[in-house]
Amino acid sequence: KKGTTIHDMLFPYSWPPWLMRKIINNASYVKNTLTGLVVHKIENRTIHVTHHNQSTTSPSSSSSVDLPIRVYTPSGTGPFPLVIFYHGGGWTICSIESHDSVCRHLCNLVNCVVISVEYRLAPEFKYPIPVEDAYAAAIYITQHAVDFNVNTSYVCLAGDSAGGNLSAVTAQLSRDRGGPSFCGQLLIYPSCDLTQTYYPSYDGKCLNLDEADSVWFLNSYIPNVEDRSNPKASPILHHDLSRLPPALILTGEHDRIRDSGEAYGTKLTEAGIPTTIKRYDNVGHGFLLVAPGVEAKSAMEFMCNWLKEAFAAN
């Protein structure tokens, strides 16, 4: 892909994904070091998680892996409420470093522990590995609540874009596989339908994510088209959306995947799940990070207030 905009010149299929990740991470590290919001304590840790293959009960059906996490802890004694955060980036780029500023704000404004999970990325680790990493991390974190000074009665999932997808899928897997339980799911411009079913927002003005971008991400993450209809890939296609945590879904007016996220919110509402859908005007995909301004600040305040209410309601 060639072009003259920053988006065209820097987008990952201009360069190998590993190089794009390195550039984003290094730039994010410098920005976070120089301008990052002060948080009482930030720790980088590694957790050892186990995947369990749900299709077989043989001993060989389990596998283990070490995953990096970043733990943000506010001042105070705790135990604190907890947000488990999955970063966006098309399951292919970005990291806990690129989304550090979002997690710092959540920690300080909500007064909760935030644990950002570094799940493995495509194309090296294709679907369903990022899904199983996300779910296994949630299990580990809630089972080791004392180590993180958190109260497992107050746990919310959160993520943006691909991370919103993983949050929605993790909520469904947790219900279907018997835990853990959550009191909310914060889905920030989530990717909820990977089948490329037509939505009107595909034809509108698209900022920061166009059709070619979406195709590249999907082909990198989940090249088998048939897999895209699995609810573990497209949470909107799950046959049962009952008994899921309350949801907040944030979208941007000029986001190509806006309508699929809002459609998921509508389906959750129809299934009896308390759901809030909030659309921000004049912004595109990824606006919390790539377009920090009035809308981004408003969205941050709105979702932090929603998290506080979700914890209080539980």
Side-chain angles (χ1 to χ4, degrees), residues 187 246-250 265 269 273-278 302 306 309:
L187 312 180
L248 170 61
I249 297 177
L250 301 183
T269 300
I273 306 303
T275 302
T276 301
I277 304 170
K278 178 75 170 176
F302 189 88
W306 183 86
E309 292 174 2

Side-chain angles (χ1 to χ4, degrees), residues 37-56:
L37 186 69
V38 175
V39 172
H40 177 67
K41 183 168 67 174
I42 300 177
E43 302 173 275
N44 291 324
R45 300 193 195 180
T46 300
I47 58 176
H48 187 72
V49 305
T50 301
H51 290 190
H52 295 284
N53 189 327
Q54 298 297 303
S55 63
T56 176

Side-chain angles (χ1 to χ4, degrees), residues 227-245:
D227 284 340
R228 298 176 188 178
S229 297
N230 192 309
K232 286 170 59 176
S234 297
I236 197 171
L237 299 182
H238 201 295
H239 70 280
D240 181 8
L241 297 181
S242 65
R243 297 175 292 112
L244 292 171

Side-chain angles (χ1 to χ4, degrees), residues 4-27:
T4 57
T5 67
I6 293 176
H7 173 263
D8 289 338
M9 290 186 289
L10 297 184
F11 198 73
Y13 46 82
S14 299
W15 297 333
W18 66 265
L19 179 58
M20 189 65 183
R21 293 174 203 147
K22 186 172 183 179
I23 292 170
I24 293 173
N25 288 348
N26 288 345

Side-chain angles (χ1 to χ4, degrees), residues 194-205:
L194 307 193
T195 64
Q196 293 295 280
T197 297
Y198 172 78
Y199 292 94
S201 56
Y202 289 178
D203 293 334
K205 179 181 179 181

Side-chain angles (χ1 to χ4, degrees), residues 8-134:
D8 289 338
M9 290 186 289
L10 297 184
F11 198 73
Y13 46 82
S14 299
W15 297 333
W18 66 265
L19 179 58
M20 189 65 183
R21 293 174 203 147
K22 186 172 183 179
I23 292 170
I24 293 173
N25 288 348
N26 288 345
S28 299
Y29 176 79
V30 172
K31 176 180 177 291
N32 297 335
T33 301
L34 295 176
T35 65
L37 186 69
V38 175
V39 172
H40 177 67
K41 183 168 67 174
I42 300 177
E43 302 173 275
N44 291 324
R45 300 193 195 180
T46 300
I47 58 176
H48 187 72
V49 305
T50 301
H51 290 190
H52 295 284
N53 189 327
Q54 298 297 303
S55 63
T56 176
T57 57
S58 66
S60 62
S61 65
S62 297
S63 61
S64 299
V65 65
D66 290 333
L67 297 178
I69 60 171
R70 182 167 292 177
V71 184
Y72 304 79
T73 304
S75 59
T77 57
F80 297 98
L82 168 65
V83 171
I84 301 175
F85 187 87
Y86 304 106
H87 67 80
W91 309 271
T92 305
I93 57 173
C94 295
S95 65
I96 57 178
E97 195 68 63
S98 63
H99 287 63
D100 178 78
S101 62
V102 175
C103 294
R104 288 176 186 242
H105 279 86
L106 292 176
C107 176
N108 278 2
L109 295 178
V110 183
N111 197 44
C112 67
V113 168
V114 178
I115 300 181
S116 185
V117 178
E118 192 77 278
Y119 57 91
R120 289 173 291 174
L121 298 174
E124 296 89 339
F125 301 98
K126 295 179 173 61
Y127 169 89
I129 290 176
V131 171
E132 296 297 342
D133 280 357

